[in-house]
Amino acid sequence: EAQVTQNPRYLITVTGKKLTVTCSQNMNHEYMSWYRQDPGLGLRQIYYSMNVEVTDKGDVPEGYKVSRKEKRNFPLILESPSPNQTSLYFCASSPAIPNYGYTFGSGTRLTVV
Amino acid sequence: QQQVKQSPQSLIVQKGGISIINCAYENTAFDYFPWYQQFPGKGPALLIAIRPDVSEKKEGRFTISFNKSAKQFSLHIMDSQPGDSATYFCAAGQYNFNKFYFGSGTKLNVKP
């Protein structure tokens, strides 16, 4: 089954403790992206990657890092999480030209206390 | 600056009614306007999309209306069903650059 897999689904952590949210896709997509979803703000792009070793900032990149060492994986790293990063996070992928739109993962609910 | 403005934030419709969600954008370079549907606990999924060379696109009970001069587009759900209850996001952007901006979302509740 074609899918984007995120882990973990739920995570509660403390301020300052580094964490990584993993994202993997099995569709050989070139493009991958991370979004955060907050009430009233919709989906805001954090980082995206057009291909292996090619990443760029989205609209809200502060406090996040990413890497794209393999085509299928695009982890999101929070080196020093803060409470304002409490959110619902989604990973998405698509071919270079999104002819069938984005395929999203099921989301990661992160709480930073 | 919000690239795509979506309204209303929430919507309650009776079964069989018409649900209408509106979006507006500013950037005239945008050339692709998808709508995504998100059920609780799931990621968004592409519902329907339109290019600006047409004013309307229909897929089943779902229709996008597009007004290029006003820079507005809307989603109409005809004969709304309880199973349509979900959050809907519009998006706008540049297709060949694969760069899109999402609206703030509309939570639709269709009452039986």
Side-chain angles (χ1 to χ4, degrees):
Chain A
E1 180 189 355
Q3 59 185 357
V4 175
T5 302
Q6 289 180 233
N7 281 298
R9 287 296 306 276
Y10 302 92
L11 180 59
I12 301 174
T13 190
V14 296
T15 299
K17 185 177 181 181
K18 181 179 179 179
L19 67 91
T20 299
V21 183
T22 64
C23 175
S24 181
Q25 51 95 3
N26 62 359
M27 296 164 282
N28 200 35
H29 284 167
E30 290 82 11
Y31 178 90
M32 296 185 75
S33 182
W34 277 102
Y35 292 86
R36 59 179 289 174
Q37 181 178 354
D38 300 289
L41 297 176
L43 292 160
R44 294 181 293 166
Q45 190 178 52
I46 302 170
Y47 269 94
Y48 65 97
S49 169
M50 299 300 286
N51 215 322
V52 176
E53 302 291 1
V54 180
T55 63
D56 207 347
K57 296 178 181 179
D59 301 310
V60 288
E62 295 77 21
Y64 304 94
K65 282 178 57 177
V66 293
S67 68
R68 187 95 180 270
K69 294 185 172 62
E70 305 166 283
K71 196 171 186 178
R72 64 183 291 121
N73 295 324
F74 190 44
L76 179 69
I77 304 159
L78 285 72
E79 298 241 330
S80 183
S82 62
N84 65 12
Q85 292 178 298
T86 292
S87 188
L88 178 59
Y89 291 86
F90 287 99
C91 181
S93 75
S94 79
I97 300 297
N99 42 2
Y100 294 107
Y102 292 169
T103 301
F104 282 85
S106 296
T108 296
R109 174 76 66 182
L110 172 65
T111 302
V112 183
V113 298
Chain B
Q1 181 186 357
Q2 205 172 1
Q3 298 275 355
V4 180
K5 294 182 180 178
Q6 182 173 347
S7 63
Q9 191 170 352
S10 63
L11 182 60
I12 300 174
V13 173
Q14 291 294 321
K15 179 182 175 181
I18 302 173
S19 304
I20 302 174
I21 304 170
N22 300 300
C23 285
Y25 64 99
E26 286 297 325
N27 192 333
T28 54
F30 290 168
D31 61 4
Y32 189 66
F33 304 88
W35 285 88
Y36 284 80
Q37 180 186 54
Q38 181 185 32
F39 292 107
K42 302 290 187 183
L46 181 67
L47 181 64
I48 186 173
I50 195 168
R51 302 293 295 264
D53 51 340
V54 296
S55 61
E56 185 175 283
K57 183 173 182 179
K58 184 175 181 179
E59 289 185 3
R61 295 183 294 107
F62 300 90
T63 300
I64 300 179
S65 297
F66 184 78
N67 185 329
K68 189 173 181 178
S69 61
K71 291 183 284 186
Q72 294 175 348
F73 58 109
S74 58
L75 177 69
H76 296 237
I77 306 174
M78 312 300 288
D79 186 27
S80 298
Q81 299 296 312
D84 297 330
S85 297
T87 298
Y88 292 82
F89 292 98
C90 64
Q94 294 178 274
Y95 185 74
N96 287 334
F97 289 100
N98 201 344
K99 180 65 177 175
F100 294 94
Y101 299 91
F102 285 83
S104 54
T106 297
K107 189 171 184 179
L108 171 65
N109 186 5
V110 181
K111 297 278 193 187

